[in-house]
Amino acid sequence: MGHPSSMAEMQGLVERLERAVGRLELLSSVSHQPSGNFGEINGVNRGVAPSVEAFDKLMNSMVAEFLKKSKILAGDVETHAEMVHSAFQAQRAFLLMASQYQQPQENDVAALLKPISEKIQEIQTFRERNRGSTMFNHLSAVSESIPALGWIAVSPKPGPYVKEMNDAATFYTNRVLKDYKHSDLRHVDWVKSYLNIWSELQAYIKEHHTTGLTWSKTGPVASATATLSALSPGPGLPPPPPPPPPPGPPPLFENEGREEESSPSRSALFAQLNQGEAITKGLRHVTDAQKTYKNPSLRAQGGQSPPPTKRHTAGATPPQSRPPQKHAPVFELEGKKWRVEYQEDKNDLVISETELKQVAYIFKCNKSTLQIKGKINSITIDNCKKFGLVFDNAVGIVEVINSKDIQMQVMGKVPTISINKTEGCHIYLSEDALDCEIVSAKSSEMNILIPQDGDYREFPVPEQFKTAWDGSKLVTVPAEIMG
């Protein structure tokens, strides 16, 4: 009577094999689907951590909505949005890795962060290469805030770091709203969808990574060699068949990754990303600081061959990329925009024929002076040093952004002057411009000079503020420095 028993055992084995094959087929289908499609992962891989599931939800809602709104606007905005999507995919892979591996050694952190670093750099480079785009404010909003993805290297307060990046985006999205809120509501919807991503990311961090990225308490220790395959294409399964992508040109973060091998600070790696187009200069500056007064112990830790190699490589590569590039000076009217760019030691620049619908955009000018005659719509000074501007009238806003040592003289009228991320700005107002509103943020050494008795009297713009609760609301007033 053993025959029925054998048949039952055989039937049981067949059923178990069928279930195993089914699971393998499901896992295989997941490993070959696009890495941004996380809809079925949670149903297939029951080992996905709740923090990763929550991030998938953010991807499938907020990021997907942003992609949808960007496709409606098309062009450069759509292309940029696809890059943002790719950056979030890289972050998702990193979070999955962190949920399965224990916290790595400091010398492996930079290498593990490299895929996200490259995506951030790609997004910021795209903006720089498309300064003539009609959607430049859209591109700037994304470019200035995308370093928020660096929260994974920030502790103990990654949430406020994302909030700071969100504020950087708002500076540019406000321009988009100003330009389109009465003419094309598609751009208004786009702004809402983009800012919602960072608001949702802050909520996600608060719930799952309040004081910094949460690593697994079990499993192997993460390392560049052990987890490289998990960070590349798929949702973090064992090493997939396709090889890693070809190296191509060396990324801007590659040398930075090597220099971080000795650094005990993860936060410094991404803190430098909040520098917009000056990212390469920022990288060199921060690492030099890390090697000296910030971390004096580094000399004792790395006294053999790696440190000289790092210094030599870091010193050799950046000069081959950005600093030697000489841009041809630009002084032209492009449509309705006056472009004044890359002017050096020019003190005779004059725009004499202006129209009410024209704007002036002044970019990376050094030790130069520009005079604008007549009435113009708006003026923007961006990334300039030791630059002087004299203009008659502006019917819109005059903005100074990311600049240093700026002097400005208003001969007629201007309603608003905005100063953002600027060190040193002196503004001479005319009698007709005394009702001008001056808005400043993240800036220092600002002075307004008011005409009095045939001369000018200087008034500093407050940089420090005191906030107190009056029983019903917060009241903020300039803080008087005692001394």
Side-chain angles (χ1 to χ4, degrees), residues 467-476:
T467 301
W469 178 255
D470 71 351
S472 61
K473 64 181 182 300
L474 291 175
V475 177
T476 300

Side-chain angles (χ1 to χ4, degrees), residues 218-229:
T218 60
V221 175
S223 67
T225 53
T227 59
L228 185 60
S229 59

Side-chain angles (χ1 to χ4, degrees), residues 47-56 99 204 207-208:
V48 173
S51 61
V52 180
E53 290 185 4
F55 195 80
D56 289 345
S99 72
Y204 165 81
E207 181 176 354
H208 297 281

Side-chain angles (χ1 to χ4, degrees), residues 92-296:
R92 198 268 180 188
F94 190 96
L95 292 172
L96 181 62
M97 180 270 295
S99 72
Q100 298 173 346
Y101 288 81
Q102 296 186 53
Q103 187 168 352
Q105 300 294 323
E106 292 296 339
N107 58 355
D108 281 321
V109 172
L112 294 173
L113 291 172
K114 182 182 168 192
I116 298 176
S117 302
E118 291 174 342
K119 297 297 183 183
I120 292 173
Q121 179 60 35
E122 178 187 28
I123 290 167
Q124 294 185 322
T125 300
F126 183 82
R127 176 243 197 172
E128 290 308 304
R129 291 175 178 172
N130 291 276
R131 285 193 162 270
S133 172
T134 56
M135 303 289 189
F136 183 68
N137 285 330
H138 300 66
L139 304 184
S140 296
V142 174
S143 177
E144 290 292 324
S145 56
I146 196 63
L149 292 180
W151 70 267
I152 54 179
V154 176
S155 62
K157 295 182 179 180
Y161 174 76
V162 175
K163 173 65 166 59
E164 184 179 348
M165 296 299 101
N166 188 36
D167 292 343
T170 304
F171 181 80
Y172 289 97
T173 56
N174 284 344
R175 296 186 188 181
V176 176
L177 295 176
K178 180 182 177 182
D179 291 340
Y180 294 101
K181 64 181 177 181
H182 297 305
S183 60
D184 193 341
L185 294 181
R186 297 177 304 167
H187 296 266
V188 177
D189 293 338
W190 179 89
V191 168
K192 292 179 180 177
S193 69
Y194 183 65
L195 295 181
N196 282 342
I197 292 177
W198 303 126
S199 298
E200 191 67 22
L201 183 60
Q202 289 176 64
Y204 165 81
I205 292 171
K206 184 176 181 180
E207 181 176 354
H208 297 281
H209 307 277
T210 309
T211 59
L213 179 64
T214 302
W215 292 84
S216 174
K217 301 299 182 183
T218 60
V221 175
S223 67
T225 53
T227 59
L228 185 60
S229 59
L231 286 174
S232 36
L237 296 170
L252 293 172
F253 280 83
E254 189 168 14
N255 294 327
E256 176 61 19
R258 296 194 187 113
E259 292 181 14
E260 288 287 335
E261 289 181 2
S262 313
S263 173
S265 171
R266 290 188 301 137
S267 302
L269 179 64
F270 272 91
Q272 57 202 293
L273 293 179
N274 186 24
Q275 298 185 30
E277 61 276 356
I279 187 168
T280 50
K281 295 180 181 177
L283 287 170
R284 291 200 307 276
H285 174 71
V286 171
T287 53
D288 286 343
Q290 290 171 341
K291 291 177 184 175
T292 55
Y293 56 87
K294 280 193 176 181
N295 295 299

Side-chain angles (χ1 to χ4, degrees), residues 386-453:
K386 297 182 179 179
F387 182 79
L389 171 67
V390 180
F391 67 95
D392 290 347
N393 296 281
V395 297
I397 191 171
V398 175
E399 299 173 292
V400 183
I401 313 166
N402 294 322
S403 296
K404 188 173 183 179
D405 296 333
I406 303 299
Q407 293 202 24
M408 180 190 308
Q409 183 167 3
V410 186
M411 305 301 292
K413 291 182 66 68
V414 59
T416 307
I417 296 175
S418 172
I419 310 170
N420 190 273
K421 296 181 182 178
T422 294
E423 298 179 18
C425 186
H426 298 263
I427 301 173
Y428 294 78
L429 295 179
S430 67
E431 293 283 356
D432 294 333
L434 295 181
D435 58 349
C436 168
E437 292 184 350
I438 297 168
V439 181
S440 61
K442 299 181 182 179
S443 299
S444 61
E445 301 177 37
M446 299 169 287
N447 292 283
I448 311 301
L449 292 97
I450 305 297
Q452 289 185 357
D453 302 325

Side-chain angles (χ1 to χ4, degrees), residues 335-353:
K336 296 178 181 179
K337 177 192 287 187
W338 280 100
R339 292 177 57 200
V340 183
E341 302 176 5
Y342 305 108
Q343 301 289 337
E344 293 278 345
D345 295 303
K346 294 286 186 179
N347 294 309
D348 55 353
L349 301 171
V350 180
I351 298 176
S352 55
E353 297 181 5

